[in-house]
């Protein structure tokens, strides 16, 4: 594969020309025209008053390795160079009268964290729908940090704390991170959350294959210009219509990236993913390809058993719920977990919030701290109050929290799960040592275990979903969750753990944020 030719004149602002492939260059030009309609010229790096007319939606569609993230990152840089305010969802200062604004969004905390690790300042959709309300004293500190106000002369922070906050802000560009460096927690300066009242200009949405119609409608209310980045080979939302929101867009507004870029071309995991597009490939042939890849590259492993040591932080990916429950029970048995309690270090998955409508503020608090459906969590221990659990939320700005919890541990053959922790209302959790491939969408882990017998069952059933054999969609989504190592597990066996469960790898925290207020 030859190097892509540099595309001059198709790049952000006055920065260096990007090595766009032809399909990326076509998408870039189309998006530049779309953004021009909302007053942003990314070619000349300037902003102007927005044009009149209806909002616009476009999609950039491509499989893993086709350069969607590269294009998203370049577009983010171009917007910033044009003077567009990138809204993080953590704090929003006074809007400039003629300024333009944008947000980079992902459906889950983990998906947003993947983007942030690649230098893209992403936040979750929820954090942009609901904005934090700051205590007035700390609002003044935030305005000073962001360059919108004078340094506070006296007040809630000492001179040393202010200096620490500014140093952290210059490093991270985050108001909450800066205030944390001054010794504060979110409950010190955030008094609540409110539904966004004023729209923004531009929304860039990653992992848009996960969006349902309701989320899409919410985003269209907020953003006159909306760009969706998605993978057509992913699984559609479970509760959706069977398709993805970008499927309904006119063909002219869907920009497809076909090419796999050179930096991804020697990745055996992506080679396997793209091989699934062959209509003549059956499951047996695909497994032969996995074995062949494993024979020549250590990044692919044909495993005879599930590694329980990996399950605590990287769940086994399965298709069937019965498989998920069996693996979870085997994991807990291998670690000697008591039937009626959790061990510190056990992984959980947030399954939603159970609160009556009158407790809307508490729901917003929980969701804003990262406890949204699909969030990956590690149990740290019981809280000080009955029904509360101390938790580490992966990808959340403040990962360690204490929340009213309803923890459900399912058992094979039992209609009702047992609940080691059951508050009357709060965040609901399922065990996270194994998860369905549907729930894994939007997440990535360095090492991923895929339970191949489940994929084989799907292949034997012959089901078709969105025009493709279901087993191929399942296999594609599962193996593309792996960043560095794919373990293709071929037998229903579990290795004994080499060490007890623990939480030492999660890092120490100065305190645990109590989501009903205060610190534990």
């Amino acid at each position: 594969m030859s190097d892509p030719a540099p595309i001059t004149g198709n790049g952000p602002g006055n920065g260096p020309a990007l090595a766009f492939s032809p399909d990326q260059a076509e998408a870039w030009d189309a998006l530049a025209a779309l953004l021009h309609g909302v007053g942003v010229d990314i070619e000349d790096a300037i902003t102007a008053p927005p044009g009149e007319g209806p909002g616009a939606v476009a999609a950039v569609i491509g499989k893993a390795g086709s350069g969607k993230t590269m294009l998203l990152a370049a577009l983010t840089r171009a917007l910033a160079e044009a003077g567009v305010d990138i809204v993080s969802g953590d704090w929003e200062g006074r809007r400039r009268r003629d300024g333009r604004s944008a947000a980079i969004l992902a459906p889950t905390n983990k998906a947003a964290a993947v983007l942030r690790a690649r230098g893209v300042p992403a936040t979750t959709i929820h954090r942009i729908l609901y904005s934090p309300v700051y205590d007035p004293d700390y609002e003044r500190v935030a305005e000073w940090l962001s360059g919108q106000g004078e340094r506070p002369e006296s007040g809630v922070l000492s001179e040393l704390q202010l200096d620490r906050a500014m140093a952290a802000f210059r490093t991270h560009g985050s108001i909450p991170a800066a205030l944390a460096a001054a010794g504060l927690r979110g409950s010190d300066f955030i008094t609540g959350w409110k539904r966004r009242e004023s729209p923004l200009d531009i929304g860039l949405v990653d992992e848009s294959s996960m969006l349902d119609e309701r989320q899409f409608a919410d985003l269209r209310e907020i953003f006159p210009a909306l760009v969706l980045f998605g993978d057509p080979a992913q699984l559609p939302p479970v509760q959706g219509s069977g398709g993805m929101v970008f499927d309904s867009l006119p063909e002219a507004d869907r920009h497809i990236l076909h090419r796999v870029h050179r930096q991804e071309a020697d990745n055996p995991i992506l080679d396997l993913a793209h091989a699934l597009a062959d209509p003549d490939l059956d499951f047996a042939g695909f497994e032969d390809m996995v074995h062949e890849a494993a024979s020549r590259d250590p990044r692919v492993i044909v495993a005879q058993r599930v590694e329980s040591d990996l399950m605590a932080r990287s769940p086994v990916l399965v298709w069937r719920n019965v498989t998920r429950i069996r693996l979870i029970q085997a994991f807990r048995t291998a670690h000697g977990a008591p039937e009626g309690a959790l061990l510190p270090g056990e992984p959980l998955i947030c399954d939603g919030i159970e609160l009556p409508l009158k407790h809307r503020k508490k729901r917003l608090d929980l969701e804003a701290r990262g406890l949204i459906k699909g969030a990956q969590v590690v149990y740290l221990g019981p809280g000080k109050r009955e029904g509360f659990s101390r938790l580490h939320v992966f990808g959340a700005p403040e990962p360690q929290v204490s929340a009213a919890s309803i923890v459900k541990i399912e058992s094979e053959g039992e209609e009702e799960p047992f609940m080691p922790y059951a508050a009357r209302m709060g965040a609901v959790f399922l065990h996270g040592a194994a998860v369905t491939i549907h729930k894994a969408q939007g997440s990535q882990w360095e090492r991923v275990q895929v339970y191949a017998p489940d994929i084989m069952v799907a292949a034997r059933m012959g089901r078709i979903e969105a025009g493709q054999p279901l087993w191929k969609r399942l296999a594609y989504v599962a193996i593309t969750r792996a960043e560095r190592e794919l373990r293709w597990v071929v037998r229903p066996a579990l290795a004994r753990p080499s060490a007890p469960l623990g939480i030492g790898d999660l890092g120490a925290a100065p305190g645990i944020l109590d989501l009903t207020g205060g610190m534990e």
Side-chain angles (χ1 to χ4, degrees):
M1 182 178 294
S2 61
D3 288 324
I7 305 295
T8 59
N10 291 277
N14 298 317
L18 293 175
F20 281 164
S21 59
D23 51 9
Q24 286 178 314
E26 181 277 331
W28 180 274
D29 290 341
L31 296 180
L34 181 150
L35 296 175
H36 198 276
V38 291
V40 179
D41 185 338
I42 58 175
E43 301 296 343
D44 294 328
I46 58 175
T47 60
E52 297 181 359
V57 182
V60 177
I61 305 168
K63 292 185 179 180
S66 60
K68 297 187 302 297
T69 302
M70 173 187 173
L71 196 60
L72 173 59
L75 201 57
T76 302
R77 290 194 299 271
L79 290 172
E81 289 174 9
V84 174
D85 294 326
I86 306 298
V87 177
S88 70
D90 293 326
W91 179 78
E92 228 175 301
R94 296 187 301 272
R95 297 278 296 277
R96 292 177 294 154
R97 179 177 299 178
D98 298 322
R100 306 273 73 81
S101 58
I104 297 87
L105 309 172
T108 67
N109 291 293
K110 194 71 188 293
V114 169
L115 282 178
R116 290 197 296 269
R118 297 175 180 177
V120 179
T123 189
T124 63
I125 292 171
H126 182 273
R127 289 296 289 266
I128 220 68
L129 292 176
Y130 297 94
S131 54
V133 178
Y134 274 57
D135 177 279
D137 288 332
Y138 294 108
E139 182 82 16
R140 285 190 284 273
V141 175
E143 289 175 349
W144 165 65
L145 290 171
S146 63
Q148 296 185 18
E150 299 294 326
R151 179 183 174 112
E153 295 183 359
S154 62
V156 291
L157 296 182
S158 68
E159 294 298 316
L160 179 59
Q161 286 177 306
L162 291 173
D163 289 341
R164 287 176 176 169
M166 180 56 80
F169 183 77
R170 287 171 176 164
T171 300
H172 303 292
S174 165
I175 297 294
L179 295 177
L184 302 174
R185 303 291 290 181
S187 56
D188 294 328
F189 52 85
I190 294 177
T191 61
W193 302 83
K194 64 179 181 179
R195 177 86 182 196
R196 175 174 295 280
E197 297 173 353
S198 57
L200 302 174
D201 293 307
I202 302 159
L204 310 181
V205 187
D206 196 28
E207 296 287 356
S208 63
S209 59
M210 298 174 65
L211 291 180
D212 58 34
E213 294 293 341
R214 181 176 178 180
Q215 290 172 315
F216 185 44
D218 283 341
L219 291 172
R220 294 209 65 178
E221 287 184 8
I222 294 174
F223 298 102
L226 194 60
V227 182
L228 309 177
F229 292 79
D231 187 336
Q234 298 270 24
L235 294 158
V238 175
Q239 297 178 340
S241 60
M244 300 172 188
V245 293
F246 48 71
D247 292 338
S248 62
L249 297 180
E251 185 176 350
D253 296 328
R254 289 184 287 128
H255 310 286
I256 302 175
L257 306 182
H258 299 281
R259 180 175 183 169
V260 179
H261 285 258
R262 182 171 182 174
Q263 65 268 28
E264 308 287 1
D266 66 344
N267 185 330
I269 300 171
L270 289 184
D271 288 344
L272 290 170
H274 290 293
L276 290 162
D278 181 354
D280 296 325
L281 182 67
D282 60 13
F283 180 78
F286 181 70
E287 277 217 314
D288 289 343
M289 294 183 68
V290 175
H291 281 263
E292 192 277 329
S295 70
R296 59 180 168 78
D297 198 301
R299 290 173 286 183
V300 178
I301 297 170
V302 176
Q304 298 299 312
R305 57 191 181 181
V306 174
E307 291 294 332
S308 56
D309 287 339
L310 295 179
M311 295 170 72
R313 299 294 180 267
S314 175
V316 183
L317 304 187
V318 306
W319 176 46
R320 299 180 297 171
N321 267 319
V322 65
T323 307
R324 179 178 63 84
I325 293 169
R326 286 173 182 168
L327 284 169
I328 288 169
Q329 288 299 321
F331 171 84
R332 301 196 80 239
T333 299
H335 280 285
E339 183 177 342
L342 290 173
L343 296 175
E346 289 198 65
L348 303 173
I349 298 288
C350 183
D351 198 41
I353 307 295
E354 289 188 3
L355 285 171
L357 192 60
K358 66 179 181 179
H359 290 291
R360 182 171 176 271
K361 181 181 181 299
K362 288 184 179 180
R363 173 185 289 275
L364 294 182
D365 285 342
L366 289 167
E367 292 178 338
R369 302 298 181 185
L371 293 177
I372 56 180
K373 192 164 186 176
Q376 298 164 36
V377 172
V378 171
Y379 175 75
L380 303 177
K384 291 185 177 179
R385 285 180 282 175
E386 184 178 356
F388 275 62
S389 301
R390 294 183 294 119
L391 308 164
H392 180 99
V393 185
F394 286 109
E398 294 184 6
Q400 299 197 359
V401 303
S402 177
S405 307
I406 304 168
V407 181
K408 300 178 180 180
I409 308 296
E410 298 149 295
S411 299
E412 187 178 0
E414 299 289 337
E415 291 187 8
E416 295 294 330
F418 78 83
M419 293 186 254
Y421 298 94
R424 288 182 300 169
M425 54 188 180
V428 181
F429 299 95
L430 302 176
H431 206 278
V435 302
T436 62
I437 294 169
H438 275 89
K439 283 189 179 292
Q441 289 194 119
S443 296
Q444 283 193 308
W445 299 271
E446 286 196 7
R447 304 167 72 187
V448 165
Q449 302 184 88
V450 179
Y451 192 74
D454 262 18
I455 310 290
M456 181 176 64
V457 171
R460 288 176 175 173
M461 291 177 65
R463 282 178 53 181
I464 302 296
E465 188 168 294
Q468 292 290 328
L470 175 61
W471 79 264
K472 288 188 175 182
R473 283 186 174 270
L474 292 168
Y476 178 89
V477 173
I479 65 181
T480 53
R481 302 309 93 200
E483 292 180 335
R484 291 189 173 88
E485 180 182 287
L486 168 67
R487 300 181 70 89
W488 186 259
V489 181
V490 296
R491 293 179 58 232
L494 180 73
R496 292 183 179 276
S498 63
L501 284 171
I503 58 176
D505 61 308
L506 302 176
I512 301 292
L513 181 66
D514 182 339
L515 291 184
T516 62
M519 292 274 288
E520 286 201 344

